[in-house]
Amino acid sequence: MGQQEKVATSLAGAVSEGISASLAPVDAELARRYPGDPGTRQPVHTVYVPGDLFAADTIRSWGDQALAALDEHAPDAASLAAVLGLSDELAAPVYDRVRAKLEREPVEDLRIDFEDGYGGRGDAEEDAHAARAARLISEAYVRGTAAPYMGIRMKCMEAAVRDRGIRTLDIFLTGLVESGGLPGGLVLTLPKVTYTEQVTAMVRLLEEFEKARGLDAGRIGFEIQIETSQSILAADGTAAVARMIDAADGRATGLHYGTFDYSACLGVSAAYQAGDHPAADHAKAVMQVAAAGTGVRVSDGSTNVLPVGTTEKVHDAWRLHYGLTRRALARAYYQGWDMHPGHLPTRYAAVFAFYREGFEQAAARLSAYAGHTGGDVMDEPATAKALSGYLLRGIDCGALDTAEVARLTGLTRDDLNGFASPRRGDLTATAK
């Protein structure tokens, strides 16, 4: 034992107490504005289906169509690997998991669309479709055939369609309540948000519905769809999207990038409207920074190039979709839109390859950090948080198995939750 050091201080205890008292409002504000990730599962995609086309078998139909596309255009692991450039080590595990996913859970998040994908209809027709959407979703949850997350995209808060959007949302939510209650996986999307006041109006609308139906205050959240330049940069030069998150008063669950409306708003030619355009990168980077730490997730948009036609055309579309998805994942956009059943194979192939190719290294680094054994990388708590989050997302979507993660890390899911976020440790695991 070495010589015990003498410890001396110069400041009175009142100094520390005074500083703490002065910063108490800041502490409270930090806790309110930046609560951290909610610790729940984030779907890897959102599938949009027009309100008039959604049916009881839509989810299963999408899975079957995706499997049929694989059977026709990539009937085995080697053929899909050749199209997408997968390594030999990844080819079979990714292909097998893609097929299993399409059979078990082809859609993770489904939005029944009453906006652009639906268009303008007569009031009676939209009323009926909104009521049917509520009934079918309620029945799906009862039967166990629902996607983990389901909901609607209403019309926006602009004057021309505001009343129609509010009525559709009212019919839909009322139908759910009267059919047994709001499902846990309910998600609502508010599109074409331009001004913060439109977010405030949505909050008021949901508050009034909760009061009318005797629901807990704050029960209903919603996604904000970023489709206009004004939602990124306000007239005064500030980031409007940051103010929108604050205006949502804790109800915002996600920021979804609208590829084509946003690109068109900036005058980008149709041929160049894509998720990897510099305008898209800028918008999503602002969204990401504004949402960081708030518990609001960011989602990428979609591609409108559909994998249909000849095998050559399907392969071209698959390569494009796979590349855009991998690019988004590398930039920490863990969710995106899928517009066609043919996008599902490459959505899951990209996601599964992303998590499986980095799995062993991430597991080894987290294991070394947890065991204080060192290694060739000096990781810190923030990196441990990222590593555990990576593994948890891989488990949630089906890219990784809980058992194989535990075998390589020596950690349970609760352990991973604890590293990823203090809030995760208090939640029930959602992975199947």
Side-chain angles (χ1 to χ4, degrees):
M1 295 290 293
Q3 181 179 353
Q4 186 172 359
E5 295 292 339
K6 179 181 177 181
V7 177
T9 62
S10 301
L11 298 176
V15 174
S16 179
E17 294 171 2
I19 289 174
S20 292
S22 70
L23 289 177
V26 173
D27 296 338
E29 185 74 351
L30 282 170
R32 183 185 73 83
R33 289 182 179 271
Y34 302 105
D37 188 85
T40 53
R41 174 182 179 180
Q42 181 180 10
V44 302
H45 69 168
T46 300
V47 162
Y48 278 71
V49 178
D52 58 323
L53 299 182
F54 178 68
D57 65 345
T58 291
I59 293 174
R60 185 62 266 152
S61 174
W62 272 59
D64 291 342
Q65 291 179 66
L67 286 166
L70 274 180
D71 290 339
E72 181 176 357
H73 303 293
D76 52 43
S79 54
L80 185 65
V83 174
L84 304 180
L86 297 175
S87 67
D88 292 341
E89 307 86 67
L90 285 176
V94 167
Y95 189 83
D96 292 346
R97 285 173 184 268
V98 167
R99 293 198 69 96
K101 181 74 169 182
L102 295 175
E103 291 166 357
R104 184 188 79 254
E105 188 183 71
V107 174
E108 293 196 359
D109 182 27
L110 185 142
R111 207 70 71 250
I112 303 169
D113 191 18
F114 288 93
E115 204 232 355
D116 284 350
Y118 181 77
R121 310 292 179 96
D123 284 340
E125 184 178 8
E126 185 160 341
D127 284 355
H129 286 151
R132 185 184 68 169
R135 175 178 59 82
L136 292 177
I137 285 180
S138 294
E139 292 173 354
Y141 275 100
V142 170
R143 292 195 305 267
T145 58
Y149 300 93
M150 299 184 76
I152 66 168
R153 177 170 71 167
M154 60 189 282
K155 288 179 172 62
C156 69
M157 285 291 181
E158 293 177 355
V161 294
R162 183 184 304 135
D163 289 345
R164 180 64 258 182
I166 292 172
R167 180 172 174 82
T168 295
L169 182 63
D170 187 9
I171 291 171
F172 175 71
L173 291 177
T174 300
L176 289 177
V177 170
E178 296 187 349
S179 296
L182 303 181
L186 174 66
V187 188
L188 305 175
T189 304
L190 178 66
K192 293 183 175 61
V193 179
T194 305
Y195 280 82
T196 303
E197 289 81 359
Q198 294 167 331
V199 175
T200 302
M202 183 67 167
V203 171
R204 179 184 173 187
L205 178 60
L206 296 178
E207 287 175 343
E208 293 296 331
F209 185 88
E210 289 165 351
K211 291 176 184 177
R213 301 305 305 212
L215 300 174
D216 292 339
R219 164 65 182 85
I220 309 173
F222 62 98
E223 301 166 337
I224 301 170
Q225 196 155 17
I226 304 301
E227 301 178 90
T228 66
S229 61
Q230 295 92 338
S231 60
I232 294 297
L233 189 69
D236 62 0
T238 60
V241 65
R243 296 208 301 271
M244 290 175 183
I245 293 174
D246 193 47
D249 198 22
R251 293 180 186 265
T253 59
L255 301 175
H256 283 228
Y257 176 67
T259 305
F260 306 104
D261 282 280
Y262 187 87
S263 298
C265 181
L266 269 62
V268 178
S269 298
Y272 297 97
Q273 293 177 0
D276 57 355
H277 190 280
D281 285 340
H282 172 259
K284 287 180 285 189
V286 174
M287 290 162 59
Q288 188 175 46
V289 172
T294 65
V296 178
R297 270 80 175 261
V298 175
S299 173
D300 198 0
S302 64
T303 175
N304 60 358
V305 179
L306 304 183
V308 296
T310 65
T311 294
E312 182 180 6
K313 289 184 176 180
V314 169
H315 285 180
D316 286 343
W318 274 354
R319 276 188 286 267
L320 173 65
H321 185 240
Y322 178 87
L324 289 172
T325 303
R326 286 302 307 264
R327 185 180 189 273
L329 290 168
R331 286 159 175 75
Y333 309 133
Y334 298 114
Q335 186 175 354
W337 297 7
D338 288 326
M339 311 301 290
H340 187 274
H343 286 141
L344 298 186
T346 38
R347 169 67 61 182
Y348 291 124
V351 170
F352 293 171
F354 175 75
Y355 289 112
R356 292 209 65 82
E357 71 183 16
F359 162 48
E360 292 188 3
Q361 183 185 49
R365 287 176 65 179
L366 187 58
S367 177
Y369 177 86
H372 306 287
T373 59
D376 58 358
V377 179
M378 183 178 293
D379 287 323
E380 298 184 353
T383 307
K385 177 179 179 179
L387 291 167
S388 55
Y390 173 88
L391 296 174
L392 285 165
R393 285 190 295 270
I395 292 171
D396 284 342
C397 70
L400 307 174
D401 297 327
T402 303
E404 64 179 343
V405 173
R407 186 174 64 252
L408 290 190
T409 62
L411 303 172
T412 66
R413 173 145 191 149
D414 285 344
D415 294 331
L416 296 176
N417 288 338
F419 282 119
S421 168
R423 298 179 64 181
R424 273 187 179 268
D426 296 330
L427 296 170
T428 301
T430 56
K432 295 184 178 180

